[in-house]
Amino acid sequence: MSAARIDLNADLGEGFGPWRMGDDAALLDIVTSANVACGFHAGDPDIMVETVLAAKARGVAIGAHPGFHDLRGFGRNRIQESPTRIERDIAYQIGALQACAALAGARVTHVKAHGALANLSNEDAAIAEALARAVAGVDPDLALVVMPGLPAERAGERFGLRLVREIYADRAYAEDGTLAPRASPGAVIHDASEAAARVARMVGEGAVFTLGGRRVPVAIDTVCVHGDNPEALAMARAVRTELERAGFSLRPFAEPSAAS
């Protein structure tokens, strides 16, 4: 009997110009999928191409990580835009990474929304539909990474996209199954051992656990470690070790492929 399969992803390429965030090279030695910032909340052409090249060299799947046009706020400010504008901004960012990936001889396999955009897509059906429509419009073969049981998942289903259900190693959950606001006590987990044990339990039981102790059954395909968390490297190592100890095979949910 083969081992159960799980993916480990991180949000990478989140620097700008000479400024860099996190140790992307080290994280790429641990994760199996990378979500690359596309220039709106972070990233620029040099960083995008370099991150894709580094991911390709390690056999790590490459995804677009679009967000709001918010460099100063790192994409965490809720910007009021129409669904049409949001759809077009997402499509623009996916295309930017696809072009950078083509230069590197690689292909983008998936899309995962960033920050406030992702949060809004989990609350607002119109924003969720804008996200799904943008992905389907650019390339319906792209997988869409979603939090299970929320509007983005339902929108992706309506547009016939391949969905990848995600949990977070370093974030706690509110009672409605969304991420607890970062300012809430206990919302961000910094202890690598705690995060790894928590992930192993969630993946093993197929459920997330809220701050209030509620158990919410969900499908889980991938686990995210945020690259901007100061403990990201230690956490990624601990999570991978714990998952492998539990018998899981760490592989990309979308196999990397070269550009045609």
Side-chain angles (χ1 to χ4, degrees):
M1 181 178 176
S2 61
R5 174 176 171 174
I6 193 74
D7 174 75
L8 182 61
N9 78 80
D11 305 336
L12 303 177
E14 293 185 315
F16 191 77
W19 180 78
R20 295 293 188 271
M21 174 180 283
D23 191 342
D24 284 7
L27 278 169
L28 283 167
D29 287 330
I30 300 169
V31 300
T32 51
S33 294
N35 318 305
V36 183
C38 304
F40 270 31
H41 76 277
D44 59 43
D46 288 331
I47 293 174
M48 291 160 72
V49 172
E50 290 163 7
T51 305
V52 168
L53 284 168
K56 178 187 173 187
R58 293 163 173 81
V60 172
I62 298 155
H65 194 41
F68 281 129
H69 206 169
D70 178 31
L71 283 173
R72 184 172 183 177
F74 194 60
R76 289 182 178 153
N77 290 316
R78 295 193 171 212
I79 297 175
Q80 297 300 314
E81 299 280 13
S82 71
T84 298
R85 171 65 65 81
I86 289 171
E87 176 188 340
R88 292 170 181 173
D89 282 353
I90 292 169
Y92 180 95
Q93 291 175 81
I94 297 170
L97 187 67
Q98 286 178 322
C100 289
L103 283 177
R107 185 182 298 277
V108 175
T109 61
H110 64 277
V111 176
K112 173 186 166 183
H114 167 81
L117 175 60
N119 291 338
L120 282 171
S121 75
N122 289 323
E123 301 167 12
D124 186 320
I127 304 303
E129 186 164 305
L131 169 62
R133 188 186 299 110
V135 175
V138 172
D139 183 353
D141 291 330
L142 289 168
L144 177 61
V145 181
V146 297
M147 288 179 63
L150 298 174
E153 180 186 44
R154 294 190 286 273
E157 288 173 344
R158 286 195 299 275
F159 279 85
L161 295 171
R162 179 189 173 191
L163 299 178
V164 178
R165 280 82 175 181
E166 177 182 56
I167 62 167
Y168 289 83
D170 51 3
R171 294 294 304 278
Y173 289 83
E175 298 310 300
D176 61 358
T178 62
L179 295 179
R182 284 179 173 268
S184 302
V188 180
I189 297 161
H190 297 285
D191 183 86
S193 297
E194 177 189 350
R198 179 173 168 272
V199 165
R201 182 187 178 200
M202 288 192 290
V203 174
E205 294 191 27
V208 297
F209 300 90
T210 70
L211 284 170
R214 179 170 167 249
R215 181 182 185 278
V216 183
V218 294
I220 300 170
D221 303 304
T222 186
V223 178
C224 176
V225 175
H226 281 108
D228 63 311
N229 188 324
E231 294 78 20
L233 191 55
M235 192 171 293
R237 287 196 185 105
V239 167
R240 178 161 189 144
T241 297
E242 193 65 29
L243 287 170
E244 290 176 333
R245 184 181 294 128
F248 289 92
S249 171
L250 275 289
R251 292 171 57 194
F253 56 76
E255 293 296 344
S257 59
S260 57

